[in-house]
Amino acid sequence: MNGAPAAPAESVSTLVARNISEFRAAVSESFVPLQVSTGGPDHFRGVIRGASVDEVHVTEVRATSHVVERTPELIARGDNSYFKVSLMLAGTGLLIQDDREAVLEAGDLAVYDTDRPYSLVFDADFRTMVVMFPKHLISLPSTMIGQLTAVRISGQEGLGGMVVPYLTQLAGNLDQLAGTTGARLAHSALDLVTTVFTRELGLDGVSADPHRALVQRIRGYIDRNLASTDLGPASIASAHYISTRHLHGLFQEQGVTVSTWIRTRRLEQCRRDLLDPMLADRPVAAIAARWGFVDAAHFSRAFKSAFGVSPSEYRAAH
């Protein structure tokens, strides 16, 4: 979770590429280092428009046919870990990752992970929206999201049909990410995407898998009770009629401890409140207490360890 706070979006950047070399540089600057190639370099054109707020990068890409590759060599450079969610707005594309392939048409969503190799193939002119964000910004473990990489999620039905219009409007109104409402808009997008992922993973109660359903109920219980100073393994286990050993085992399967998960969720809620202009007059200690941190000094240390700066510095930077 370490990293300097991102400044609020001030404007939309536009990069116009007249050839594949310019586009290659623009893509790596806008996202993470990538290889880009095309079979028609003489006629290649591309435009990248983007805005960033609170570590969320929202980008619209329009271009002619090309191939994008995230190779093991590029990954080894040690860039930050991101998820990228693509929404096809026009044309088609092929996403390949984790031995899966997804053909994406207009209105389709898909997620991929910058920590593992992937390829994107566009055979003709297209337009797409990409939302790139650090993995800690959503409440689902990376291992769970890994089950969805390169899986087509339709925007024509179900939850996808409700979320895609919002993302489409965001892509067409990137300037709205500037100013005091930008962080809320960006995090609303992430919350909606997380809801779609939850449904696709069968974690919303629709799944017949009782193990998954229990994990999701526990995570929901934690989120609803973050303000409680009594929240801990014993109270969580008791509320779900399981032993603390069983509870620890459930979280261990996801590579995290119960206490670490609670602290991470509390810190994320505090971070969001520090960005909220409606709470600008509320003391940092009050925000911390609102989410279960009764010791202001402990909260300040935990926040700085997670985000690289103190809560007051983080708020001032925004």
Side-chain angles (χ1 to χ4, degrees):
M1 295 173 68
N2 290 319
E10 296 179 354
S11 62
V12 177
S13 64
T14 302
L15 299 170
V16 179
R18 295 162 294 182
N19 55 57
I20 191 63
S21 296
E22 291 181 354
F23 187 75
R24 185 181 296 117
V27 163
S28 292
E29 179 181 339
S30 301
F31 302 109
V32 292
L34 296 163
Q35 288 186 357
V36 184
S37 59
T38 181
D42 296 338
H43 306 286
F44 184 86
R45 295 291 184 274
V47 178
I48 299 176
R49 298 178 67 251
S52 299
V53 59
D54 191 27
E55 300 184 275
V56 182
H57 309 270
V58 183
T59 308
E60 178 193 4
V61 181
R62 288 180 284 130
T64 53
S65 62
H66 67 274
V67 176
V68 175
E69 295 176 280
R70 177 75 166 158
T71 65
E73 292 76 19
L74 294 175
I75 295 170
R77 293 182 182 179
D79 304 296
N80 292 329
S81 298
Y82 296 100
F83 285 126
K84 296 170 75 174
V85 174
S86 283
L87 165 61
M88 289 300 299
L89 298 171
T92 60
L94 172 67
L95 169 62
I96 304 170
Q97 188 171 55
D98 298 330
D99 297 322
R100 291 189 289 266
E101 297 184 1
V103 176
L104 306 177
E105 299 180 345
D108 290 339
L109 287 168
V111 62
Y112 43 114
D113 187 336
T114 65
D115 281 341
R116 296 196 297 281
Y118 65 80
S119 299
L120 285 161
V121 182
F122 303 102
D123 290 332
D125 295 5
F126 72 96
R127 176 173 168 250
T128 190
M129 171 197 191
V130 180
V131 182
M132 184 174 78
F133 52 92
K135 296 179 179 180
H136 69 81
L137 288 188
I138 62 173
S139 60
L140 292 173
S142 298
T143 52
M144 286 188 172
I145 303 299
Q147 300 174 42
L148 291 178
T149 52
V151 172
R152 171 184 170 270
I153 300 174
S154 174
Q156 307 299 320
E157 57 190 18
L159 284 178
M162 301 172 66
V163 172
V164 163
Y166 178 86
L167 297 179
T168 302
Q169 286 295 316
L170 195 60
N173 296 275
L174 292 179
D175 58 304
Q176 295 300 317
L177 290 175
T180 58
T181 61
R184 285 190 172 189
L185 291 172
H187 284 290
S188 292
L190 293 191
D191 289 342
L192 290 171
V193 167
T194 302
T195 301
V196 173
F197 290 166
T198 299
R199 171 61 59 84
E200 292 294 319
L201 289 166
L203 299 175
D204 58 354
V206 176
S207 172
D209 185 339
H211 182 82
R212 283 189 170 187
L214 174 60
V215 171
Q216 187 61 13
R217 286 199 303 274
I218 291 172
R219 293 189 186 280
Y221 177 86
I222 290 173
D223 278 350
R224 292 191 301 274
N225 291 276
L226 289 175
S228 172
T229 57
D230 295 328
L231 184 66
S235 63
I236 296 169
S238 176
H240 293 85
Y241 306 101
I242 60 176
S243 67
T244 55
R245 181 177 180 179
H246 186 189
L247 176 70
H248 287 304
L250 292 172
F251 278 79
Q252 187 175 11
E253 290 175 3
Q254 305 303 324
V256 67
T257 67
V258 179
S259 297
T260 298
W261 182 261
I262 293 172
R263 183 174 65 254
T264 299
R265 296 298 297 144
R266 281 174 167 164
L267 286 171
E268 179 58 27
Q269 293 301 327
C270 289
R271 190 184 66 83
R272 289 196 184 191
D273 279 3
L274 290 170
L275 291 174
D276 193 335
M278 300 297 292
L279 302 176
D281 295 332
R282 183 169 296 186
V284 170
I287 287 176
R290 180 187 184 191
W291 296 108
F293 288 104
V294 295
D295 185 329
H298 169 71
F299 165 68
S300 184
R301 290 192 299 270
F303 191 95
K304 187 170 184 177
S305 176
F307 300 109
V309 293
S310 71
S312 297
E313 290 171 333
Y314 190 88
R315 173 182 264 177
H318 292 75

